[in-house]
Amino acid sequence: VSYILKSEPLKPEEQKMKTIDEIRMLDDAEQVNEIYNIFDEDSRLSSPASRVEFLTTVRYADQYLKPGMRILDIGAGTGAYSLYYASRGYRVDALELSDRNLNVLRQKITPEMNISCQKGNALDLSGYPDNCFDLVFLMGPLNTCIVKRTAEHVFPKPCGY
């Protein structure tokens, strides 16, 4: 299965990957790390369908952005949106749960980009002050939240959006 999900050969530490049943027994953070150790997020984002999603999202987000605005990218992955907007002069805070994705994102940041990268969970935004972002991206984590968790857990305080 791993050869379908990953574009490059497995590294030695990845050859001892857990089974699906073992992954299901882990907590959310451990699950995310295990999944992204075998799943190549950069390859997924280069597919034609993902490009359509990216271009459509950017088109709509651009309508609301003005120079100097601050963006929060929750579940930033390997940084598609974070890097795009930071390269255009926006201040971006990238929150990502996967260690692998966060490392890939950090390697892509250039000195002129204003990106702050944090490891964290979309269900806990307590590290950010209220009302400090002009635009929030919440793409992947919103799709993968467990059904019993509600939007109130993700956004416990009104954010004005």
Side-chain angles (χ1 to χ4, degrees), residues 9 27 58 60 77 91 94 96 139:
D27 68 31
V58 164
Y60 284 100
R91 179 178 172 193
E96 174 57 37
M139 307 298 273

Side-chain angles (χ1 to χ4, degrees), residues 51-99:
R51 293 306 304 158
V52 169
E53 172 193 303
F54 177 84
L55 294 171
T56 302
T57 302
V58 164
R59 179 175 174 223
Y60 284 100
D62 284 351
Q63 295 175 30
Y64 300 98
L65 288 170
K66 295 180 180 86
M69 287 186 158
R70 187 173 175 191
I71 298 169
L72 174 61
D73 188 0
I74 303 172
T78 56
Y81 294 101
S82 294
L83 295 164
Y84 176 84
Y85 282 105
S87 70
R88 281 153 182 77
Y90 295 96
R91 179 178 172 193
V92 178
D93 289 74
L95 181 69
E96 174 57 37
L97 190 54
S98 162
D99 294 319

Side-chain angles (χ1 to χ4, degrees), residues 69-126:
M69 287 186 158
R70 187 173 175 191
I71 298 169
L72 174 61
D73 188 0
I74 303 172
T78 56
Y81 294 101
S82 294
L83 295 164
Y84 176 84
Y85 282 105
S87 70
R88 281 153 182 77
Y90 295 96
R91 179 178 172 193
V92 178
D93 289 74
L95 181 69
E96 174 57 37
L97 190 54
S98 162
D99 294 319
R100 183 176 187 274
N101 288 347
L102 201 53
N103 289 334
V104 170
L105 169 56
R106 285 181 173 137
Q107 291 172 8
K108 294 178 183 179
I109 297 172
T110 60
E112 65 276 359
M113 293 180 181
N114 188 358
I115 299 180
S116 169
C117 296
Q118 295 291 323
K119 179 180 170 83
N121 192 321
L123 297 172
D124 180 9
L125 302 178
S126 61

